Amino acid sequence: MERRIRSGMGQTGTAAMTVLLSACILLAAADEFGGDWQYRLQRQICAGAEEMYVPVLAWADRKPSAGIGAWLKEKALAWIPLVSYVEDHAYQDAALEDEETLAKILEAQANDENMVDENGNLVGEPDEQAAVADEPVQTVDTSIGKLRDFEYLLGNFYTVDSSTMIGADQLNADDLLGRSMKIDTASDGPKVLIYHTHSQEMFADSTSGDPADSIVGVGEYLTQLLNARGIETIHDTGVYDIINGKLDRSNAYEYAGEAVSRILEENPSIEVLIDLHRDGVAEGTRLVTEINGKPTAKIMFFNGLSRSRTNGDISYLANPYIQDNLAFSLQMQIAAEEKYPGFTRHIYLRAYRYNMHLMPKSLLVEAGAQTNTVEEMMNAMEVLSEMLYDVLVGE
């Protein structure tokens, strides 16, 4: 019957019904206060809605009992799905922001950075920054005058996930570009640690089960390239996303963080952490450009802000190095933009911290995607190693 009522109305009738039902919802929500005033006011406002549009609400002709509020709310939400959607998501957000459910946040953090496989929310959705090799490259003005404009900086260099928020106080170009990312090349010991929270990520032409064709193999090549440039680098090939022989990312960031902390204790000379991933995109998307005549996977820097749009700073996922993290990714982004425009996608900002609290110079790199070839990924590491040298060592 509800379908027949809706389909028989014109636009004006539908709008009127929406307004009247909204009033009824507000009254129903107030029924916990009781009182005859509620009954009289409800009858005056809702009578028109009952008689003109929704005869089924005749049930409300009776004086409200303990259950009328719930009944009205349920019926109204059935006719206004958007209200139901907002309510459901508000409840979920509140649950995730409760400090007592930290485990749920950590599990969400473990999955939402990568859009493929286990993250059902975004699997198969097109990537708005996707590109093909013959797509024209648009250069971006990286002059400090432009970068001081918050809206310009945000619009040309960042994508802010709906889960979080950022302001001009954090994206201050003078501050971010004024922080030195240079490493101490005069002292002995490794300076860079490369690791993989998600070690099982593969590519379009990877050989199943062969680590050399996985993100770990790509990380090994980047390690070799940096060492060849004089930046002493070590590679952690630990596996943090396999539990009992099965892919399980629910605690991957926690396990990786524990392992990386131990490595840092054993190697106090390390100044740079790089968590190397590959992204997940729709199967028809190709994140590839051409650099030095080679097909090259595009990369994306990823920052966690430890801040929820719903409740603000996530104090129990604190990161004292957020500004340094942001400075590192922006300086890398600008170096790439000036030398190889089109190589990087926008820096992606999300709510959690992704172990970036372990060191000021921390990068989370999304290199290519599952639709890229191993060759395209290896070519991307050659460019990335050059950018790292420029930012960490170069003049």
PDB file of all heavy atoms in Angstrom, residues 109-116 118 195-202 214-216 238-241 247-253 256 275-278 354 366:
ATOM      1  N   GLN A 109      41.526   0.489  10.431  1.00  0.00           N
ATOM      2  CA  GLN A 109      42.769   1.064   9.912  1.00  0.00           C
ATOM      3  C   GLN A 109      43.518   0.047   9.066  1.00  0.00           C
ATOM      4  O   GLN A 109      44.089   0.380   8.039  1.00  0.00           O
ATOM      5  CB  GLN A 109      43.653   1.503  11.090  1.00  0.00           C
ATOM      6  CG  GLN A 109      45.050   1.912  10.692  1.00  0.00           C
ATOM      7  CD  GLN A 109      45.923   2.263  11.885  1.00  0.00           C
ATOM      8  OE1 GLN A 109      46.069   3.423  12.210  1.00  0.00           O
ATOM      9  NE2 GLN A 109      46.487   1.272  12.540  1.00  0.00           N
ATOM     10  N   ALA A 110      43.489  -1.214   9.504  1.00  0.00           N
ATOM     11  CA  ALA A 110      44.241  -2.244   8.805  1.00  0.00           C
ATOM     12  C   ALA A 110      43.713  -2.483   7.404  1.00  0.00           C
ATOM     13  O   ALA A 110      44.446  -2.904   6.516  1.00  0.00           O
ATOM     14  CB  ALA A 110      44.203  -3.549   9.597  1.00  0.00           C
ATOM     15  N   ASN A 111      42.439  -2.204   7.189  1.00  0.00           N
ATOM     16  CA  ASN A 111      41.837  -2.535   5.910  1.00  0.00           C
ATOM     17  C   ASN A 111      41.561  -1.349   5.001  1.00  0.00           C
ATOM     18  O   ASN A 111      41.610  -1.473   3.794  1.00  0.00           O
ATOM     19  CB  ASN A 111      40.517  -3.293   6.140  1.00  0.00           C
ATOM     20  CG  ASN A 111      40.739  -4.699   6.622  1.00  0.00           C
ATOM     21  OD1 ASN A 111      41.451  -5.473   6.005  1.00  0.00           O
ATOM     22  ND2 ASN A 111      40.154  -5.033   7.762  1.00  0.00           N
ATOM     23  N   ASP A 112      41.280  -0.167   5.579  1.00  0.00           N
ATOM     24  CA  ASP A 112      40.726   0.874   4.715  1.00  0.00           C
ATOM     25  C   ASP A 112      41.759   1.601   3.891  1.00  0.00           C
ATOM     26  O   ASP A 112      41.414   2.351   2.997  1.00  0.00           O
ATOM     27  CB  ASP A 112      39.891   1.867   5.524  1.00  0.00           C
ATOM     28  CG  ASP A 112      40.737   2.842   6.322  1.00  0.00           C
ATOM     29  OD1 ASP A 112      41.964   2.678   6.427  1.00  0.00           O
ATOM     30  OD2 ASP A 112      40.143   3.775   6.844  1.00  0.00           O
ATOM     31  N   GLU A 113      43.042   1.404   4.153  1.00  0.00           N
ATOM     32  CA  GLU A 113      44.062   2.038   3.310  1.00  0.00           C
ATOM     33  C   GLU A 113      44.136   1.399   1.940  1.00  0.00           C
ATOM     34  O   GLU A 113      44.508   2.025   0.973  1.00  0.00           O
ATOM     35  CB  GLU A 113      45.416   1.963   4.047  1.00  0.00           C
ATOM     36  CG  GLU A 113      46.629   2.072   3.154  1.00  0.00           C
ATOM     37  CD  GLU A 113      47.077   0.730   2.656  1.00  0.00           C
ATOM     38  OE1 GLU A 113      46.967  -0.251   3.393  1.00  0.00           O
ATOM     39  OE2 GLU A 113      47.505   0.672   1.501  1.00  0.00           O
ATOM     40  N   ASN A 114      43.777   0.106   1.852  1.00  0.00           N
ATOM     41  CA  ASN A 114      43.887  -0.607   0.585  1.00  0.00           C
ATOM     42  C   ASN A 114      42.495  -0.989   0.107  1.00  0.00           C
ATOM     43  O   ASN A 114      41.723  -1.569   0.844  1.00  0.00           O
ATOM     44  CB  ASN A 114      44.746  -1.856   0.765  1.00  0.00           C
ATOM     45  CG  ASN A 114      45.036  -2.532  -0.551  1.00  0.00           C
ATOM     46  OD1 ASN A 114      44.189  -3.236  -1.064  1.00  0.00           O
ATOM     47  ND2 ASN A 114      46.213  -2.320  -1.083  1.00  0.00           N
ATOM     48  N   MET A 115      42.156  -0.637  -1.129  1.00  0.00           N
ATOM     49  CA  MET A 115      40.796  -0.774  -1.609  1.00  0.00           C
ATOM     50  C   MET A 115      40.506  -2.084  -2.339  1.00  0.00           C
ATOM     51  O   MET A 115      39.534  -2.183  -3.052  1.00  0.00           O
ATOM     52  CB  MET A 115      40.463   0.388  -2.542  1.00  0.00           C
ATOM     53  CG  MET A 115      39.886   1.586  -1.837  1.00  0.00           C
ATOM     54  SD  MET A 115      41.086   2.565  -0.957  1.00  0.00           S
ATOM     55  CE  MET A 115      41.603   3.684  -2.226  1.00  0.00           C
ATOM     56  N   VAL A 116      41.332  -3.065  -2.171  1.00  0.00           N
ATOM     57  CA  VAL A 116      41.142  -4.303  -2.907  1.00  0.00           C
ATOM     58  C   VAL A 116      41.031  -5.465  -1.930  1.00  0.00           C
ATOM     59  O   VAL A 116      41.396  -5.350  -0.773  1.00  0.00           O
ATOM     60  CB  VAL A 116      42.291  -4.495  -3.903  1.00  0.00           C
ATOM     61  CG1 VAL A 116      42.958  -5.838  -3.832  1.00  0.00           C
ATOM     62  CG2 VAL A 116      41.800  -4.255  -5.306  1.00  0.00           C
ATOM     63  N   GLU A 118      39.946  -7.521   0.777  1.00  0.00           N
ATOM     64  CA  GLU A 118      39.077  -7.570   1.940  1.00  0.00           C
ATOM     65  C   GLU A 118      38.248  -6.311   2.187  1.00  0.00           C
ATOM     66  O   GLU A 118      37.297  -6.342   2.939  1.00  0.00           O
ATOM     67  CB  GLU A 118      39.897  -7.848   3.210  1.00  0.00           C
ATOM     68  CG  GLU A 118      40.423  -9.259   3.275  1.00  0.00           C
ATOM     69  CD  GLU A 118      41.399  -9.533   2.167  1.00  0.00           C
ATOM     70  OE1 GLU A 118      42.313  -8.727   1.951  1.00  0.00           O
ATOM     71  OE2 GLU A 118      41.242 -10.548   1.494  1.00  0.00           O
ATOM     72  N   TYR A 195      59.665  -1.512   4.591  1.00  0.00           N
ATOM     73  CA  TYR A 195      58.908  -2.685   5.053  1.00  0.00           C
ATOM     74  C   TYR A 195      57.541  -2.689   4.379  1.00  0.00           C
ATOM     75  O   TYR A 195      57.186  -1.761   3.637  1.00  0.00           O
ATOM     76  CB  TYR A 195      58.788  -2.690   6.580  1.00  0.00           C
ATOM     77  CG  TYR A 195      57.889  -1.618   7.158  1.00  0.00           C
ATOM     78  CD1 TYR A 195      56.605  -1.923   7.609  1.00  0.00           C
ATOM     79  CD2 TYR A 195      58.328  -0.293   7.278  1.00  0.00           C
ATOM     80  CE1 TYR A 195      55.790  -0.944   8.165  1.00  0.00           C
ATOM     81  CE2 TYR A 195      57.520   0.685   7.828  1.00  0.00           C
ATOM     82  CZ  TYR A 195      56.250   0.355   8.269  1.00  0.00           C
ATOM     83  OH  TYR A 195      55.444   1.320   8.799  1.00  0.00           O
ATOM     84  N   HIS A 196      56.774  -3.744   4.646  1.00  0.00           N
ATOM     85  CA  HIS A 196      55.482  -3.914   3.963  1.00  0.00           C
ATOM     86  C   HIS A 196      54.443  -4.427   4.953  1.00  0.00           C
ATOM     87  O   HIS A 196      54.460  -5.604   5.330  1.00  0.00           O
ATOM     88  CB  HIS A 196      55.603  -4.903   2.803  1.00  0.00           C
ATOM     89  CG  HIS A 196      56.766  -4.629   1.892  1.00  0.00           C
ATOM     90  ND1 HIS A 196      56.699  -3.737   0.845  1.00  0.00           N
ATOM     91  CD2 HIS A 196      58.039  -5.125   1.901  1.00  0.00           C
ATOM     92  CE1 HIS A 196      57.881  -3.697   0.237  1.00  0.00           C
ATOM     93  NE2 HIS A 196      58.700  -4.527   0.859  1.00  0.00           N
ATOM     94  N   THR A 197      53.540  -3.553   5.378  1.00  0.00           N
ATOM     95  CA  THR A 197      52.450  -4.010   6.236  1.00  0.00           C
ATOM     96  C   THR A 197      51.614  -5.059   5.516  1.00  0.00           C
ATOM     97  O   THR A 197      51.154  -6.020   6.109  1.00  0.00           O
ATOM     98  CB  THR A 197      51.564  -2.819   6.656  1.00  0.00           C
ATOM     99  OG1 THR A 197      52.361  -1.884   7.382  1.00  0.00           O
ATOM    100  CG2 THR A 197      50.423  -3.281   7.541  1.00  0.00           C
ATOM    101  N   HIS A 198      51.422  -4.876   4.211  1.00  0.00           N
ATOM    102  CA  HIS A 198      50.656  -5.832   3.389  1.00  0.00           C
ATOM    103  C   HIS A 198      51.612  -6.487   2.389  1.00  0.00           C
ATOM    104  O   HIS A 198      51.820  -5.985   1.291  1.00  0.00           O
ATOM    105  CB  HIS A 198      49.517  -5.118   2.655  1.00  0.00           C
ATOM    106  CG  HIS A 198      48.495  -4.535   3.575  1.00  0.00           C
ATOM    107  ND1 HIS A 198      47.647  -3.509   3.215  1.00  0.00           N
ATOM    108  CD2 HIS A 198      48.180  -4.833   4.862  1.00  0.00           C
ATOM    109  CE1 HIS A 198      46.863  -3.209   4.236  1.00  0.00           C
ATOM    110  NE2 HIS A 198      47.169  -4.006   5.245  1.00  0.00           N
ATOM    111  N   SER A 199      52.167  -7.599   2.793  1.00  0.00           N
ATOM    112  CA  SER A 199      53.219  -8.242   1.996  1.00  0.00           C
ATOM    113  C   SER A 199      52.690  -9.078   0.832  1.00  0.00           C
ATOM    114  O   SER A 199      53.464  -9.466  -0.045  1.00  0.00           O
ATOM    115  CB  SER A 199      54.063  -9.144   2.898  1.00  0.00           C
ATOM    116  OG  SER A 199      53.283 -10.234   3.364  1.00  0.00           O
ATOM    117  N   GLN A 200      51.395  -9.355   0.823  1.00  0.00           N
ATOM    118  CA  GLN A 200      50.852 -10.288  -0.169  1.00  0.00           C
ATOM    119  C   GLN A 200      50.309  -9.601  -1.415  1.00  0.00           C
ATOM    120  O   GLN A 200      49.674 -10.249  -2.255  1.00  0.00           O
ATOM    121  CB  GLN A 200      49.740 -11.127   0.478  1.00  0.00           C
ATOM    122  CG  GLN A 200      50.185 -11.890   1.711  1.00  0.00           C
ATOM    123  CD  GLN A 200      51.376 -12.790   1.435  1.00  0.00           C
ATOM    124  OE1 GLN A 200      51.290 -13.695   0.600  1.00  0.00           O
ATOM    125  NE2 GLN A 200      52.489 -12.550   2.112  1.00  0.00           N
ATOM    126  N   GLU A 201      50.551  -8.334  -1.566  1.00  0.00           N
ATOM    127  CA  GLU A 201      50.016  -7.609  -2.714  1.00  0.00           C
ATOM    128  C   GLU A 201      50.779  -7.985  -3.988  1.00  0.00           C
ATOM    129  O   GLU A 201      52.004  -7.924  -4.035  1.00  0.00           O
ATOM    130  CB  GLU A 201      50.089  -6.103  -2.449  1.00  0.00           C
ATOM    131  CG  GLU A 201      49.175  -5.692  -1.305  1.00  0.00           C
ATOM    132  CD  GLU A 201      49.396  -4.277  -0.831  1.00  0.00           C
ATOM    133  OE1 GLU A 201      50.508  -3.737  -0.996  1.00  0.00           O
ATOM    134  OE2 GLU A 201      48.443  -3.706  -0.275  1.00  0.00           O
ATOM    135  N   MET A 202      50.011  -8.336  -5.023  1.00  0.00           N
ATOM    136  CA  MET A 202      50.585  -8.806  -6.284  1.00  0.00           C
ATOM    137  C   MET A 202      50.152  -7.888  -7.430  1.00  0.00           C
ATOM    138  O   MET A 202      49.412  -6.922  -7.223  1.00  0.00           O
ATOM    139  CB  MET A 202      50.143 -10.252  -6.567  1.00  0.00           C
ATOM    140  CG  MET A 202      50.392 -11.228  -5.428  1.00  0.00           C
ATOM    141  SD  MET A 202      52.150 -11.514  -5.065  1.00  0.00           S
ATOM    142  CE  MET A 202      52.562 -12.655  -6.393  1.00  0.00           C
ATOM    143  N   SER A 214      56.001  -9.801  -6.137  1.00  0.00           N
ATOM    144  CA  SER A 214      55.041  -9.151  -5.247  1.00  0.00           C
ATOM    145  C   SER A 214      55.552  -7.780  -4.833  1.00  0.00           C
ATOM    146  O   SER A 214      56.622  -7.335  -5.272  1.00  0.00           O
ATOM    147  CB  SER A 214      54.827 -10.008  -3.993  1.00  0.00           C
ATOM    148  OG  SER A 214      55.993  -9.944  -3.163  1.00  0.00           O
ATOM    149  N   ILE A 215      54.814  -7.105  -3.964  1.00  0.00           N
ATOM    150  CA  ILE A 215      55.264  -5.816  -3.462  1.00  0.00           C
ATOM    151  C   ILE A 215      56.583  -5.957  -2.710  1.00  0.00           C
ATOM    152  O   ILE A 215      57.387  -5.014  -2.661  1.00  0.00           O
ATOM    153  CB  ILE A 215      54.179  -5.173  -2.571  1.00  0.00           C
ATOM    154  CG1 ILE A 215      54.496  -3.695  -2.297  1.00  0.00           C
ATOM    155  CG2 ILE A 215      53.999  -5.943  -1.283  1.00  0.00           C
ATOM    156  CD1 ILE A 215      54.483  -2.808  -3.511  1.00  0.00           C
ATOM    157  N   VAL A 216      56.846  -7.135  -2.157  1.00  0.00           N
ATOM    158  CA  VAL A 216      58.120  -7.374  -1.461  1.00  0.00           C
ATOM    159  C   VAL A 216      59.277  -7.339  -2.453  1.00  0.00           C
ATOM    160  O   VAL A 216      60.343  -6.762  -2.177  1.00  0.00           O
ATOM    161  CB  VAL A 216      58.080  -8.707  -0.702  1.00  0.00           C
ATOM    162  CG1 VAL A 216      59.436  -9.009  -0.067  1.00  0.00           C
ATOM    163  CG2 VAL A 216      56.996  -8.680   0.378  1.00  0.00           C
ATOM    164  N   GLY A 238      59.440  -9.159   6.530  1.00  0.00           N
ATOM    165  CA  GLY A 238      58.510  -9.849   7.428  1.00  0.00           C
ATOM    166  C   GLY A 238      57.096  -9.867   6.881  1.00  0.00           C
ATOM    167  O   GLY A 238      56.668  -8.959   6.145  1.00  0.00           O
ATOM    168  N   VAL A 239      56.347 -10.896   7.235  1.00  0.00           N
ATOM    169  CA  VAL A 239      54.965 -11.073   6.775  1.00  0.00           C
ATOM    170  C   VAL A 239      54.033 -10.787   7.946  1.00  0.00           C
ATOM    171  O   VAL A 239      54.084 -11.468   8.969  1.00  0.00           O
ATOM    172  CB  VAL A 239      54.735 -12.492   6.238  1.00  0.00           C
ATOM    173  CG1 VAL A 239      53.267 -12.704   5.877  1.00  0.00           C
ATOM    174  CG2 VAL A 239      55.628 -12.741   5.020  1.00  0.00           C
ATOM    175  N   TYR A 240      53.169  -9.795   7.798  1.00  0.00           N
ATOM    176  CA  TYR A 240      52.290  -9.369   8.887  1.00  0.00           C
ATOM    177  C   TYR A 240      50.807  -9.520   8.564  1.00  0.00           C
ATOM    178  O   TYR A 240      49.957  -9.180   9.402  1.00  0.00           O
ATOM    179  CB  TYR A 240      52.592  -7.911   9.238  1.00  0.00           C
ATOM    180  CG  TYR A 240      54.063  -7.693   9.494  1.00  0.00           C
ATOM    181  CD1 TYR A 240      54.834  -6.911   8.631  1.00  0.00           C
ATOM    182  CD2 TYR A 240      54.698  -8.318  10.563  1.00  0.00           C
ATOM    183  CE1 TYR A 240      56.191  -6.731   8.844  1.00  0.00           C
ATOM    184  CE2 TYR A 240      56.058  -8.147  10.779  1.00  0.00           C
ATOM    185  CZ  TYR A 240      56.797  -7.360   9.918  1.00  0.00           C
ATOM    186  OH  TYR A 240      58.149  -7.203  10.124  1.00  0.00           O
ATOM    187  N   ASP A 241      50.507 -10.003   7.366  1.00  0.00           N
ATOM    188  CA  ASP A 241      49.104 -10.114   6.958  1.00  0.00           C
ATOM    189  C   ASP A 241      48.696 -11.547   6.616  1.00  0.00           C
ATOM    190  O   ASP A 241      47.709 -11.758   5.910  1.00  0.00           O
ATOM    191  CB  ASP A 241      48.823  -9.188   5.770  1.00  0.00           C
ATOM    192  CG  ASP A 241      49.792  -9.374   4.613  1.00  0.00           C
ATOM    193  OD1 ASP A 241      50.764 -10.130   4.776  1.00  0.00           O
ATOM    194  OD2 ASP A 241      49.577  -8.759   3.550  1.00  0.00           O
ATOM    195  N   LEU A 247      45.199 -15.084   4.422  1.00  0.00           N
ATOM    196  CA  LEU A 247      45.311 -13.631   4.390  1.00  0.00           C
ATOM    197  C   LEU A 247      44.396 -13.027   5.443  1.00  0.00           C
ATOM    198  O   LEU A 247      43.191 -13.279   5.475  1.00  0.00           O
ATOM    199  CB  LEU A 247      44.919 -13.106   3.004  1.00  0.00           C
ATOM    200  CG  LEU A 247      45.055 -11.596   2.791  1.00  0.00           C
ATOM    201  CD1 LEU A 247      46.511 -11.166   2.882  1.00  0.00           C
ATOM    202  CD2 LEU A 247      44.474 -11.203   1.439  1.00  0.00           C
ATOM    203  N   ASP A 248      44.961 -12.244   6.342  1.00  0.00           N
ATOM    204  CA  ASP A 248      44.195 -11.618   7.416  1.00  0.00           C
ATOM    205  C   ASP A 248      44.892 -10.315   7.782  1.00  0.00           C
ATOM    206  O   ASP A 248      45.951 -10.317   8.392  1.00  0.00           O
ATOM    207  CB  ASP A 248      44.122 -12.547   8.631  1.00  0.00           C
ATOM    208  CG  ASP A 248      43.232 -11.974   9.735  1.00  0.00           C
ATOM    209  OD1 ASP A 248      42.939 -10.760   9.696  1.00  0.00           O
ATOM    210  OD2 ASP A 248      42.847 -12.732  10.635  1.00  0.00           O
ATOM    211  N   ARG A 249      44.273  -9.198   7.410  1.00  0.00           N
ATOM    212  CA  ARG A 249      44.895  -7.889   7.642  1.00  0.00           C
ATOM    213  C   ARG A 249      44.411  -7.223   8.928  1.00  0.00           C
ATOM    214  O   ARG A 249      44.789  -6.092   9.214  1.00  0.00           O
ATOM    215  CB  ARG A 249      44.586  -6.965   6.469  1.00  0.00           C
ATOM    216  CG  ARG A 249      45.294  -7.375   5.197  1.00  0.00           C
ATOM    217  CD  ARG A 249      44.928  -6.445   4.069  1.00  0.00           C
ATOM    218  NE  ARG A 249      45.680  -6.774   2.872  1.00  0.00           N
ATOM    219  CZ  ARG A 249      45.263  -6.513   1.649  1.00  0.00           C
ATOM    220  NH1 ARG A 249      44.101  -5.935   1.462  1.00  0.00           N
ATOM    221  NH2 ARG A 249      45.998  -6.835   0.613  1.00  0.00           N
ATOM    222  N   SER A 250      43.575  -7.884   9.692  1.00  0.00           N
ATOM    223  CA  SER A 250      42.939  -7.237  10.827  1.00  0.00           C
ATOM    224  C   SER A 250      43.925  -6.691  11.843  1.00  0.00           C
ATOM    225  O   SER A 250      43.648  -5.697  12.512  1.00  0.00           O
ATOM    226  CB  SER A 250      41.956  -8.198  11.509  1.00  0.00           C
ATOM    227  OG  SER A 250      42.634  -9.363  11.950  1.00  0.00           O
ATOM    228  N   ASN A 251      45.086  -7.320  11.992  1.00  0.00           N
ATOM    229  CA  ASN A 251      46.085  -6.842  12.950  1.00  0.00           C
ATOM    230  C   ASN A 251      47.422  -6.535  12.284  1.00  0.00           C
ATOM    231  O   ASN A 251      48.452  -6.464  12.965  1.00  0.00           O
ATOM    232  CB  ASN A 251      46.288  -7.884  14.050  1.00  0.00           C
ATOM    233  CG  ASN A 251      45.067  -8.027  14.931  1.00  0.00           C
ATOM    234  OD1 ASN A 251      44.647  -7.078  15.571  1.00  0.00           O
ATOM    235  ND2 ASN A 251      44.484  -9.217  14.944  1.00  0.00           N
ATOM    236  N   ALA A 252      47.420  -6.369  10.972  1.00  0.00           N
ATOM    237  CA  ALA A 252      48.674  -6.216  10.236  1.00  0.00           C
ATOM    238  C   ALA A 252      49.457  -4.993  10.695  1.00  0.00           C
ATOM    239  O   ALA A 252      50.686  -5.061  10.860  1.00  0.00           O
ATOM    240  CB  ALA A 252      48.393  -6.140   8.735  1.00  0.00           C
ATOM    241  N   TYR A 253      48.782  -3.867  10.907  1.00  0.00           N
ATOM    242  CA  TYR A 253      49.503  -2.675  11.330  1.00  0.00           C
ATOM    243  C   TYR A 253      50.079  -2.836  12.734  1.00  0.00           C
ATOM    244  O   TYR A 253      51.174  -2.350  13.032  1.00  0.00           O
ATOM    245  CB  TYR A 253      48.604  -1.442  11.245  1.00  0.00           C
ATOM    246  CG  TYR A 253      48.558  -0.871   9.844  1.00  0.00           C
ATOM    247  CD1 TYR A 253      47.540  -1.212   8.970  1.00  0.00           C
ATOM    248  CD2 TYR A 253      49.565  -0.026   9.389  1.00  0.00           C
ATOM    249  CE1 TYR A 253      47.506  -0.716   7.674  1.00  0.00           C
ATOM    250  CE2 TYR A 253      49.548   0.473   8.097  1.00  0.00           C
ATOM    251  CZ  TYR A 253      48.518   0.124   7.249  1.00  0.00           C
ATOM    252  OH  TYR A 253      48.506   0.603   5.955  1.00  0.00           O
ATOM    253  N   ALA A 256      53.129  -5.241  12.302  1.00  0.00           N
ATOM    254  CA  ALA A 256      54.221  -4.544  11.624  1.00  0.00           C
ATOM    255  C   ALA A 256      54.849  -3.500  12.537  1.00  0.00           C
ATOM    256  O   ALA A 256      56.073  -3.344  12.578  1.00  0.00           O
ATOM    257  CB  ALA A 256      53.699  -3.885  10.341  1.00  0.00           C
ATOM    258  N   ASP A 275      56.796   2.498   4.324  1.00  0.00           N
ATOM    259  CA  ASP A 275      55.871   1.366   4.245  1.00  0.00           C
ATOM    260  C   ASP A 275      55.359   1.330   2.810  1.00  0.00           C
ATOM    261  O   ASP A 275      54.566   2.178   2.394  1.00  0.00           O
ATOM    262  CB  ASP A 275      54.723   1.559   5.235  1.00  0.00           C
ATOM    263  CG  ASP A 275      53.824   0.332   5.339  1.00  0.00           C
ATOM    264  OD1 ASP A 275      54.126  -0.698   4.703  1.00  0.00           O
ATOM    265  OD2 ASP A 275      52.812   0.408   6.058  1.00  0.00           O
ATOM    266  N   LEU A 276      55.843   0.351   2.034  1.00  0.00           N
ATOM    267  CA  LEU A 276      55.557   0.306   0.600  1.00  0.00           C
ATOM    268  C   LEU A 276      54.397  -0.640   0.307  1.00  0.00           C
ATOM    269  O   LEU A 276      54.435  -1.817   0.666  1.00  0.00           O
ATOM    270  CB  LEU A 276      56.806  -0.140  -0.166  1.00  0.00           C
ATOM    271  CG  LEU A 276      56.729  -0.141  -1.693  1.00  0.00           C
ATOM    272  CD1 LEU A 276      56.462   1.260  -2.234  1.00  0.00           C
ATOM    273  CD2 LEU A 276      58.024  -0.711  -2.288  1.00  0.00           C
ATOM    274  N   HIS A 277      53.370  -0.099  -0.343  1.00  0.00           N
ATOM    275  CA  HIS A 277      52.165  -0.849  -0.720  1.00  0.00           C
ATOM    276  C   HIS A 277      51.935  -0.714  -2.221  1.00  0.00           C
ATOM    277  O   HIS A 277      52.590   0.059  -2.900  1.00  0.00           O
ATOM    278  CB  HIS A 277      50.934  -0.253  -0.023  1.00  0.00           C
ATOM    279  CG  HIS A 277      50.929  -0.344   1.457  1.00  0.00           C
ATOM    280  ND1 HIS A 277      50.063  -1.155   2.144  1.00  0.00           N
ATOM    281  CD2 HIS A 277      51.665   0.300   2.397  1.00  0.00           C
ATOM    282  CE1 HIS A 277      50.254  -1.004   3.448  1.00  0.00           C
ATOM    283  NE2 HIS A 277      51.235  -0.125   3.622  1.00  0.00           N
ATOM    284  N   ARG A 278      50.926  -1.435  -2.683  1.00  0.00           N
ATOM    285  CA  ARG A 278      50.337  -1.106  -3.975  1.00  0.00           C
ATOM    286  C   ARG A 278      48.855  -0.896  -3.735  1.00  0.00           C
ATOM    287  O   ARG A 278      48.249  -1.494  -2.851  1.00  0.00           O
ATOM    288  CB  ARG A 278      50.602  -2.198  -5.010  1.00  0.00           C
ATOM    289  CG  ARG A 278      49.885  -3.507  -4.727  1.00  0.00           C
ATOM    290  CD  ARG A 278      48.747  -3.697  -5.696  1.00  0.00           C
ATOM    291  NE  ARG A 278      48.172  -5.028  -5.566  1.00  0.00           N
ATOM    292  CZ  ARG A 278      47.086  -5.288  -4.850  1.00  0.00           C
ATOM    293  NH1 ARG A 278      46.489  -4.332  -4.173  1.00  0.00           N
ATOM    294  NH2 ARG A 278      46.602  -6.505  -4.810  1.00  0.00           N
ATOM    295  N   TYR A 354      48.408   4.641  10.849  1.00  0.00           N
ATOM    296  CA  TYR A 354      49.181   3.752   9.974  1.00  0.00           C
ATOM    297  C   TYR A 354      50.660   3.628  10.355  1.00  0.00           C
ATOM    298  O   TYR A 354      51.532   3.584   9.487  1.00  0.00           O
ATOM    299  CB  TYR A 354      49.045   4.200   8.510  1.00  0.00           C
ATOM    300  CG  TYR A 354      47.608   4.379   8.097  1.00  0.00           C
ATOM    301  CD1 TYR A 354      47.028   5.650   8.077  1.00  0.00           C
ATOM    302  CD2 TYR A 354      46.807   3.291   7.799  1.00  0.00           C
ATOM    303  CE1 TYR A 354      45.689   5.814   7.746  1.00  0.00           C
ATOM    304  CE2 TYR A 354      45.466   3.446   7.468  1.00  0.00           C
ATOM    305  CZ  TYR A 354      44.925   4.706   7.441  1.00  0.00           C
ATOM    306  OH  TYR A 354      43.605   4.875   7.116  1.00  0.00           O
ATOM    307  N   GLU A 366      51.738   4.258  -1.845  1.00  0.00           N
ATOM    308  CA  GLU A 366      50.893   3.370  -2.651  1.00  0.00           C
ATOM    309  C   GLU A 366      51.457   3.425  -4.070  1.00  0.00           C
ATOM    310  O   GLU A 366      51.254   4.399  -4.791  1.00  0.00           O
ATOM    311  CB  GLU A 366      49.445   3.843  -2.639  1.00  0.00           C
ATOM    312  CG  GLU A 366      48.775   3.813  -1.283  1.00  0.00           C
ATOM    313  CD  GLU A 366      48.231   2.448  -0.926  1.00  0.00           C
ATOM    314  OE1 GLU A 366      48.441   1.509  -1.720  1.00  0.00           O
ATOM    315  OE2 GLU A 366      47.606   2.318   0.134  1.00  0.00           O
TER     316      GLU A 366
END
